[in-house]
Amino acid sequence: MNLITAEKMSVRYGGAVALSNVDFAIAPGEIVTIVGPNGSGKSTLLRALLGVIPPSAGRVDRKKGLVIGYMPQRLAMDGRMPMTVRRFLSLPIRRDAAAIDAALIRVGVEGLEDRQMDTLSGGQFQRVLLARALLADPQILIMDEPTQGLDQPGMAAFYQLIEEVRRDTGCAVLMVSHDLHVVMSASDRVICLNGHVCCQGTPHVVSSAPEYRALFGEGTGGALALYQHAHDHDHEHDHNHDHGHGATEKAS
């Protein structure tokens, strides 16, 4: 059973159409990444799937009792208000010390519980946000541009962490990203959005789709290949995975 399903969903803001006729589903344990240019409706899609905004047409169904861990695109911290990592992780639900310690270990930033939030580096801050999302023991982790502001090594390390979290917890992952050249290899399925679903499938299918190349340029497929070679992927495994996943391409 899918965790979240959208059928023929559209979203309007006043008279403007932000999303049109979107079909979407995510299964347990799946990593799905949404990519698209600025203004393509990526964050709007997440908010509609979360139930924050209602669709103007179509429907969204969430599995009964679904537990969601959410990591926002950005979170401004007021340095004038002291806030330790431990305190932050106990909002809005109080967490005991053992749970907080385990979450920080899980995301690789153990020992930061007494640090002030506004003194953390960008990478540490993002991992603390991830720890907070994981404290809910979610069935699905939803992230809106989780590596914004990180450099290339930081992005790669974060996406590797996401893969480890999925492997160890079995939770599904749905994320929006601009990091086209890095995020592809961390995904089971990629959805290219531009007000509607332009194309979707495994990373290799999407990176070679004409709709994707029209939005992001002809060089994107080569950059994907370079990333995979640089990280010594098992190409035989990747080949089998792509052909076994039942990738589909949806034309606009």
Side-chain angles (χ1 to χ4, degrees):
M1 179 181 179
N2 290 324
L3 300 177
I4 305 176
T5 304
E7 296 180 353
K8 308 298 182 187
M9 183 185 71
S10 297
V11 176
R12 288 178 174 270
Y13 292 118
V17 177
L19 290 174
S20 177
N21 205 35
V22 170
D23 290 327
F24 170 87
I26 184 167
E30 189 178 20
I31 297 182
V32 176
T33 301
I34 302 165
V35 299
N38 289 334
S40 61
K42 301 185 300 295
S43 294
T44 295
L45 177 57
L46 286 194
R47 290 195 289 268
L49 296 176
L50 285 165
V52 176
I53 55 175
S56 54
R59 57 184 293 175
V60 178
D61 294 315
R62 288 172 287 275
K63 180 182 175 183
K64 186 176 181 180
L66 181 65
V67 179
I68 297 173
Y70 178 64
M71 185 174 167
Q73 184 179 65
R74 61 179 62 87
L75 186 63
M77 300 295 296
D78 188 343
R80 295 170 298 179
M81 180 183 296
M83 175 78 70
T84 64
V85 170
R86 186 191 309 278
R87 175 64 175 155
F88 175 73
L89 293 179
S90 288
L91 296 173
I93 300 172
R94 182 172 295 277
R95 308 287 184 180
D96 62 39
I100 289 173
D101 290 345
L104 292 175
I105 291 171
R106 166 66 273 178
V107 300
V109 288
E110 59 270 22
L112 293 185
E113 56 272 9
D114 293 323
R115 285 274 300 274
Q116 293 292 321
M117 288 291 296
D118 64 348
T119 68
L120 301 180
S121 69
Q124 290 171 334
F125 193 91
Q126 294 304 95
R127 288 176 183 244
V128 169
L129 286 181
L130 178 59
R132 187 169 184 245
L134 292 175
L135 276 167
D137 194 18
Q139 296 163 281
I140 181 170
L141 182 61
I142 296 181
M143 301 182 292
D144 193 352
E145 299 199 39
T147 60
Q148 191 173 56
L150 301 186
D151 60 15
Q152 195 80 0
M155 291 178 192
F158 191 89
Y159 287 125
Q160 182 178 356
L161 174 60
I162 293 301
E163 291 182 281
E164 292 170 0
V165 166
R166 189 267 297 266
R167 180 195 67 208
D168 295 344
T169 69
C171 75
V173 179
L174 173 62
M175 57 184 160
V176 161
S177 181
H178 273 114
D179 311 323
L180 302 176
H181 304 159
V182 179
V183 74
M184 290 291 226
S185 71
S187 305
D188 298 319
R189 184 159 51 95
V190 176
I191 296 172
C192 183
L193 196 69
N194 193 22
H196 64 284
V197 176
C198 300
C199 57
Q200 65 176 306
T202 62
H204 281 290
V205 167
V206 169
S207 65
S208 61
E211 297 86 357
Y212 174 85
R213 289 173 178 267
L215 287 174
F216 298 112
E218 291 295 325
T220 53
L224 169 63
L226 285 172
Y227 173 79
Q228 292 181 325
H229 279 275
H231 287 76
D232 298 319
H233 280 225
D234 180 345
H235 292 182
E236 183 64 28
H237 172 77
D238 288 347
H239 176 81
N240 292 338
H241 178 77
D242 282 350
H243 284 76
H245 195 271
T248 60
E249 183 176 321
K250 179 177 178 180
S252 57

